[in-house]
Amino acid sequence: MTILIEQPEFGIEVEEKKVPNSEKDLVLDGGFVQPHANAFGHNFRDYEAESERQEGVEIFYKTNHINQTYEFVKKMREEYGKLDKVEMSIWECCELLNNVVDESDPDLDEPQIEHLLQTAEAIRKDYPNEDWLHLTALIHDLGKVLLLPSFGELPQWAVVGDTYPVGCAFDESIVHHKYFKENPDYNNPAYNTKFGVYEKGCGLDNVFMSWGHDDYMYLVAKENKSTLPSAGLFIVRYHSFYALHRAGAYKHLMNEEDEENLKWLKIFNKYDLYSKSKVRIDVEKVKPYYLSLIEKAKQLDSLTKLYRPYLRRSTQELVPVLKQIGVLINKMIRCNETDMEIEILKSSLVDEPWLLDQSVINSTMVQVLELLVQ
Ligand SMILES: O[C@H]1[C@H](O)[C@@H](O)[C@H](O)[C@@H](O)[C@H]1O
Ligand SMILES: [Fe+2]
């Protein structure tokens, strides 16, 4: 099922083209200024430009492209899908990224916690009401903990970098495509055709992506029954899939839900990429906001867990209703109960075909209320 989220006006589409320095900075959706050069004075995602990062990044992609095979991905998914490594809070995990630098990135050599907060703060400025998007930004790269000893200390080529499907032909738009020639799947007729092991419109959920932090974090979020909307989970899982969201490749594997979610991913990408800079975020200053987001998500999580078995509905279906109930309660606390808006909200809740029973609404409200006053 697709969650319907009010679509903002899509801002200026930012292309990866040479931008003359004299040209004014581009302003994204709500005011975020996209710099015309990265921290090293080059265009963003220029993998050929001579820079202090170029050689290391190219070596990274060579190893990555040679080793990411269909068999390898299958094995990693099975192994890491067990989620038996470590248990920790979201914020603890963010702090672990304090010492992690991504070797695949030509635009950033700052610790990853900076990147998480730079992305989240930039998107928060332009989309202040989409708190699910702020949280998505905060967690999108947490899977990079795979580089750390307690998570298996995987090599960089198995954790970071752009991702792409395995089990079908590697698209030419993938960065440093030439190195795929040394990948065993490149010459395997089962895997080197347009569709390979997949079918037209099969949906990305059925496609094996090169193994790394994106798929890992998605598995973690899913297994923990995250209440992020489907677009949020999609962003976490495919934000490094530049061949799709930048170059438009592999669309033949997408289904309708993927199409919907791709719109949000494209918005997210502008902030993920263009917020990378040497200007550091004051972690202590923004920490209370993100802790409050995490806490809110946790409360929503416990509510959906409580109601899912009773109503036999999925998290995706429950979340918007619980949110509505939350809004309703907030209004009830603050204003007169006969308020028109409350009536409208109430009737929209009763209109939920599966929420037939007013007593269910009442008991849900009591739960929300308890959480609010805790
Ligand atoms: O999502 C990003 C992106 O794909 C970058 O190109 C890559 O260098 C990073 O590792 C990844 O987190
Ligand atoms: Fe990433």
Side-chain angles (χ1 to χ4, degrees):
M1 163 188 160
T2 311
I3 301 268
L4 287 178
I5 304 157
E6 216 174 292
Q7 295 284 319
E9 304 242 311
F10 296 133
I12 306 155
E13 280 302 322
V14 182
E15 285 168 26
E16 282 175 35
K17 59 181 179 197
K18 296 263 180 236
V19 192
N21 273 351
S22 59
E23 202 171 297
K24 283 218 179 104
D25 289 332
L26 278 175
V27 178
L28 295 187
D29 308 340
F32 173 70
V33 179
Q34 180 223 314
H36 49 64
N38 69 13
F40 306 93
H42 301 287
N43 288 308
F44 282 86
R45 291 181 60 80
D46 186 340
Y47 288 86
E48 305 300 335
E50 244 179 70
S51 91
E52 57 192 85
R53 305 224 15 102
Q54 199 282 330
E55 198 188 344
V57 173
E58 183 158 350
I59 294 170
F60 163 88
Y61 273 109
K62 181 174 181 188
T63 335
N64 171 283
H65 290 359
I66 295 173
N67 290 294
Q68 292 273 358
T69 61
Y70 188 73
E71 275 312 307
F72 171 74
V73 170
K74 235 173 89 181
K75 216 179 76 204
M76 295 310 268
R77 269 220 197 167
E78 272 162 31
E79 168 58 21
Y80 279 88
K82 293 183 207 149
L83 303 180
D84 58 357
K85 305 289 174 225
V86 187
E87 236 183 272
M88 65 176 61
S89 74
I90 293 182
W91 190 259
E92 271 176 292
C93 198
C94 293
E95 286 184 334
L96 274 186
L97 293 184
N98 220 341
N99 300 315
V100 170
V101 174
D102 181 331
E103 288 176 10
S104 70
D105 201 330
D107 303 313
L108 190 72
D109 60 0
E110 293 291 317
Q112 285 294 306
I113 188 171
E114 283 300 317
H115 168 58
L116 296 178
L117 294 172
Q118 284 174 340
T119 312
E121 284 292 282
I123 214 158
R124 179 180 165 202
K125 205 165 139 220
D126 286 4
Y127 293 86
N129 300 323
E130 311 291 343
D131 56 1
W132 65 274
L133 205 50
H134 314 163
L135 190 59
T136 303
L138 183 76
I139 68 165
H140 81 284
D141 270 343
L142 288 187
K144 289 181 185 173
V145 290
L146 288 176
L147 293 165
L148 303 172
S150 45
F151 289 86
E153 207 168 6
L154 293 181
Q156 291 257 346
W157 65 262
V159 179
V160 299
D162 290 359
T163 58
Y164 42 83
V166 292
C168 62
F170 302 113
D171 190 79
E172 299 240 332
S173 63
I174 301 168
V175 172
H176 293 306
H177 175 271
K178 57 180 181 286
Y179 295 119
F180 283 122
K181 294 203 174 98
E182 295 175 56
N183 181 310
D185 290 358
Y186 188 83
N187 293 313
N188 184 337
Y191 300 144
N192 67 6
T193 60
K194 179 174 175 188
F195 286 99
V197 299
Y198 310 112
E199 276 167 28
K200 189 171 190 312
C202 62
L204 294 180
D205 191 33
N206 293 307
V207 171
F208 275 18
M209 298 296 292
S210 54
W211 177 253
H213 65 283
D214 311 55
D215 215 21
Y216 180 59
M217 192 55 209
Y218 167 77
L219 291 176
V220 172
K222 205 173 144 229
E223 186 56 31
N224 284 285
K225 309 262 183 304
S226 157
T227 47
L228 278 183
S230 126
L233 293 173
F234 189 88
I235 289 171
V236 169
R237 199 174 193 187
Y238 302 111
H239 70 270
S240 306
F241 190 3
Y242 273 78
L244 174 84
H245 61 73
R246 271 286 155 127
Y250 297 106
K251 290 215 158 163
H252 50 279
L253 300 177
M254 286 169 68
N255 62 19
E256 251 177 63
E257 188 173 357
D258 295 330
E259 295 280 355
E260 269 308 303
N261 287 334
L262 184 59
K263 292 178 193 161
W264 277 107
L265 175 54
K266 285 187 172 179
I267 294 177
F268 174 83
N269 173 251
K270 292 186 244 171
Y271 297 88
D272 182 17
L273 179 58
Y274 298 112
S275 67
K276 290 175 185 172
S277 90
K278 293 259 172 210
V279 183
R280 291 220 172 180
I281 300 280
D282 183 343
V283 179
E284 288 311 310
K285 195 167 150 212
V286 298
K287 185 173 166 182
Y289 174 69
Y290 291 99
L291 287 181
S292 76
L293 269 191
I294 295 167
E295 189 49 38
K296 223 164 121 186
K298 254 169 56 190
Q299 295 192 354
L300 209 51
D301 266 12
S302 49
L303 270 177
T304 48
K305 274 191 195 112
L306 204 69
Y307 284 94
R308 195 183 304 104
Y310 180 37
L311 298 166
R312 291 192 301 280
R313 296 291 149 171
S314 70
T315 301
Q316 296 286 313
E317 288 170 297
L318 274 171
V319 168
V321 180
L322 290 173
K323 277 191 173 160
Q324 257 179 303
I325 294 174
V327 173
L328 176 57
I329 289 170
N330 268 327
K331 282 187 186 281
M332 280 174 144
I333 292 170
R334 274 190 252 113
C335 50
N336 175 346
E337 249 199 80
T338 56
D339 192 282
M340 264 285 279
E341 271 188 85
I342 294 182
E343 288 312 313
I344 295 168
L345 268 167
K346 265 189 182 165
S347 55
S348 71
L349 280 177
V350 181
D351 277 350
E352 289 292 328
W354 51 274
L355 239 173
L356 297 171
D357 188 347
Q358 183 67 38
S359 68
V360 172
I361 299 180
N362 291 342
S363 62
T364 309
M365 283 186 179
V366 171
Q367 294 290 333
V368 181
L369 214 71
E370 276 172 5
L371 283 169
L372 281 176
V373 293
Q374 255 173 31

